[in-house]
Amino acid sequence: MPIPEDVTGDEIDKDVRQELQSLPKTLAEDVARNLVMVARLIDEDPEGAYGYSKVALRLASRVAAVREAAGFAAYANQKYSEALAEFRAARRMTGSVDLWPVMADCERGLGRPEKALDMAGAPEVHKLDKAGQVEMRLVAAGARRDMDQLDAAIVTLQSPELASNSVQPWTARLRYAYADALLAAGRESEAREWFAKAVEADRDGSTDASDRLAELDGVEFVDALDENEGDSAGAAEQAADHDSDSDADSDADSDSDSDGEGDRA
């Protein structure tokens, strides 16, 4: 797959670069450039990212970072079985538990929420950092919702992290998930409160909390382009009406002139 000339491979994380040092230099550069493309495209063009991840995987399947990148690319394309296999391979290579929450979410994607809940209660969770533990809580709540256990999902999300006033990278998503669960349970006023709190914490627009809040408040947004088109159409219609009136006036004047000429005759 073609790679833009401005992509050198030096853009990758230093830890990944260190992993690639086990490869011959030219091969390491090729793999690095493909990994950069995966990172660039995974949000806006997941299919493209998946394609580059397959190239990197073909070149260096024994590198944990490559297996992890392939896992995330497959995950972004909802290829959960493939993603889970890649995440497991990466975990075997590194011994790290960092991928535990996303592995559990793959189980959800495969229609096995019970398995995801089992993973949420496993000893590995205690080895996760705070961000990982919050992510695991989100996955567990999602699994509860998959099983139509709304009240249990709400309780699962109730935590010190949710109650905290400090804003962390996970705060907006945690508050959003809680608000969404409350709304699903019919607790609209509480849901509105938590969507508003999610908006406060969502500094990078990672959720659509503001849209959800506006929807609850009955606010309807009008597309500016459509509005402009409507104004243009209205102006054109008014111009047409004006032209018609002008033509009618002209015809009337002509008739008057003709009548005048007849009288003079």
Side-chain angles (χ1 to χ4, degrees):
M1 297 180 68
I3 297 177
E5 293 183 1
D6 65 318
V7 175
T8 64
D10 293 334
E11 302 89 340
I12 61 173
D13 184 84
K14 63 179 182 179
D15 292 334
V16 177
R17 191 180 303 114
Q18 187 173 356
E19 275 193 68
L20 295 179
Q21 287 179 355
S22 62
L23 303 173
K25 184 178 180 180
T26 302
L27 179 58
E29 290 175 353
D30 288 343
V31 174
R33 295 180 73 209
N34 278 280
L35 292 181
V36 170
M37 293 305 298
V38 173
R40 275 192 181 185
L41 299 176
I42 196 162
D43 291 328
E44 297 182 359
D45 181 12
E47 287 188 12
Y50 180 74
Y52 284 105
S53 75
K54 298 300 283 186
V55 174
L57 193 60
R58 187 169 64 250
L59 295 173
S61 62
R62 295 185 180 182
V63 176
V66 171
R67 304 301 290 266
E68 183 175 330
F72 277 109
Y75 178 81
N77 285 275
Q78 299 182 2
K79 299 178 183 291
Y80 297 116
S81 181
E82 183 177 337
L84 186 57
E86 297 299 342
F87 290 143
R88 283 173 173 167
R91 183 167 181 264
R92 283 195 302 270
M93 292 175 178
T94 64
S96 172
V97 297
D98 292 348
L99 295 171
W100 196 253
V102 71
M103 289 169 63
D105 206 41
C106 285
E107 295 289 359
R108 284 186 59 212
L110 291 169
R112 301 193 291 248
E114 299 88 350
K115 177 62 177 175
L117 288 176
D118 288 343
M119 294 179 69
E124 284 83 353
V125 176
H126 300 293
K127 300 176 183 178
L128 294 169
D129 61 13
K130 181 62 68 176
Q133 290 179 3
V134 170
E135 194 65 35
M136 192 71 249
R137 190 177 291 276
L138 288 167
V139 173
R144 291 292 185 188
R145 292 191 62 173
D146 292 343
M147 300 167 68
D148 294 323
Q149 299 175 0
L150 285 175
D151 290 339
I154 291 170
V155 171
T156 298
L157 293 167
Q158 293 170 345
S159 61
E161 293 81 18
L162 179 67
S164 175
N165 290 323
S166 67
V167 176
Q168 303 294 334
W170 61 78
T171 303
R173 291 179 58 238
L174 184 58
R175 292 177 180 178
Y176 182 95
Y178 189 59
D180 194 45
L182 288 168
L183 188 60
R187 295 160 62 174
E188 187 171 316
S189 62
E190 294 173 83
R192 191 208 173 281
E193 175 187 352
W194 282 97
F195 275 127
K197 290 182 177 181
V199 171
E200 292 175 1
D202 195 0
R203 296 169 178 171
D204 59 357
S206 62
T207 73
D208 64 346
S210 59
D211 292 340
R212 300 292 299 277
L213 182 61
E215 184 180 339
L216 286 174
D217 288 342
V219 177
E220 183 177 349
F221 294 100
V222 178
D223 191 303
L225 183 59
D226 291 342
E227 190 176 69
N228 291 336
E229 288 176 352
D231 291 343
S232 298
E237 185 176 340
Q238 288 178 1
D241 290 342
H242 181 269
D243 291 342
S244 296
D245 292 341
S246 298
D247 291 342
D249 291 341
S250 297
D251 291 342
D253 291 340
S254 297
D255 291 341
S256 296
D257 292 343
S258 296
D259 291 343
E261 290 173 359
D263 292 340
R264 284 193 298 272

